[in-house]
């Protein structure tokens, strides 16, 4: 069956790995990227039919609407949205030196961004057969298990993203949607650096069967790359 997905933050890191994985599994991929990266461009040249790249700044209503219009020009429906774009600016800054512009920026990209995209892409997703929204969250969004003493913007934004996913599930579940919050693991990307545990290709590979499985009727779930449930 032909399936299609829109992936945000597809220029590098996990978003690029998801793009490669979904293409290799035969999906049509619509890839939203803040900046067109050489890696994504090379992939597009190899998959002229299966990969459509569009500009996307999740901070901007106009940019999100333009991306939606670009996708609408190519398809009448989408099966899945993966809200992957994210940032972690000024993460280790202690309370005494906190720059609220950076906290606000994290919330704008990591929490409001996915909601902007979900709102704009809802008609396309409603027309799709699979009705799946995947929010790339983090273990850092868990309030129960939080031991950090900084990372204000990132942790607050991911906890907010988790709440958003629960509300979306409550609202869209009766319309056939499943909303999943996933922690991809500590990955060797621009965000986490070379010391991290997983290559993002590994994380995308572990998550793929867990986010493309048929709906189980349980509704909103928050879990990590290996399927282990996380505390909200
Ligand atoms: N790395 C980890 O260990 C880790 C752990 C837990 C959760 N996560 C989550 O996993 C997701 C992917 O992270 P990553 O590690 O792959 O990070 P990354 O390599 O830094 O990639 C982040 C992506 O988000 C895009 N992006 C940033 N701001 C954007 C905006 N305003 N509009 C659209 N796209 C934007 C970036 O675009 P550009 O390339 O153009 O800058 C980039 O493609 C994030 O949501 C992150 O919070 C990561």
């Amino acid at each position: 069956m032909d399936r299609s997905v829109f992936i945000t933050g597809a220029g590098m890191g996990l978003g690029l790995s998801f793009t490669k994985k979904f293409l290799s599994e035969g999906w049509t991929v619509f890839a939203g990227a803040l900046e067109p990266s050489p890696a994504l461009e090379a992939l597009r040249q190899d998959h002229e039919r299966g990969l459509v790249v569009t500009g996307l700044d999740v901070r901007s209503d106009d940019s999100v609407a333009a991306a939606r219009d670009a996708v609408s020009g190519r398809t009448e429906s989408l099966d899945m949205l993966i809200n992957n774009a994210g940032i972690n600016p000024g993460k280790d800054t202690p309370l005494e030196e906190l720059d609220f512009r950076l906290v606000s920026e994290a919330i704008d990209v990591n929490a409001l961004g996915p909601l902007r995209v979900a709102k704009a892409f809802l008609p396309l997703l409603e027309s799709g057969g699979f009705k799946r929204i995947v929010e790339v969250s983090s273990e850092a969004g868990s309030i129960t298990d939080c031991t950090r003493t900084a990372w204000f913007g990132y942790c607050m934004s991911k906890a907010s993203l988790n709440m958003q996913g629960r509300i979306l599930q409550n609202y869209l579940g009766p319309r056939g949607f499943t909303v999943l919050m996933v922690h991809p693991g500590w990955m060797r990307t621009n965000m986490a650096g070379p010391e991290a545990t997983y290559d993002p290709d590994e994380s995308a590979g572990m998550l793929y069967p867990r986010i493309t499985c048929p709906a189980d009727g349980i509704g909103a779930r928050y879990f990590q790359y290996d399927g282990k449930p996380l505390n909200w």
Side-chain angles (χ1 to χ4, degrees), residues 8-16 32-37 56-60 83-88 109-110 136-140 154 158 161 182-193 196 200:
T8 74
M12 63 178 175
L14 181 63
L16 183 65
L34 185 58
E35 294 290 338
S37 71
L56 176 72
D57 184 343
V58 301
R59 295 168 297 188
S60 157
N83 270 318
N84 162 79
I87 57 171
N88 188 0
V109 173
N110 298 351
V136 179
S137 180
S138 168
E139 48 73 31
Y154 190 75
K158 292 296 188 180
L161 178 64
V182 301
H183 165 55
W186 191 35
M187 302 176 295
R188 295 188 290 276
T189 62
N190 190 48
M191 180 180 287

Side-chain angles (χ1 to χ4, degrees), residues 37-116:
S37 71
L40 188 59
E41 182 54 29
L43 209 53
R44 197 186 62 74
Q45 284 177 8
D46 288 347
H47 296 84
E48 280 187 9
R49 288 167 60 87
L51 176 60
V52 177
V53 177
T54 175
L56 176 72
D57 184 343
V58 301
R59 295 168 297 188
S60 157
D61 290 350
D62 289 347
S63 174
V64 171
R68 186 265 327 278
D69 291 348
V71 174
S72 297
R74 303 291 288 261
T75 181
E76 291 176 356
S77 66
L78 275 176
D79 290 295
M80 186 184 296
L81 163 64
I82 302 182
N83 270 318
N84 162 79
I87 57 171
N88 188 0
K91 60 181 179 181
D92 292 319
T93 312
L95 177 63
E96 292 82 352
E97 291 158 31
L98 213 52
D99 179 344
F100 285 97
R101 284 169 304 185
L102 296 184
V103 176
S104 182
E105 198 181 329
I107 290 171
D108 197 9
V109 173
N110 298 351
L112 296 180
L115 197 54
R116 277 190 196 98

Side-chain angles (χ1 to χ4, degrees), residues 173-186:
R175 286 147 75 168
F177 278 79
T178 301
V179 185
L180 303 174
M181 270 61 67
V182 301
H183 165 55
W186 191 35

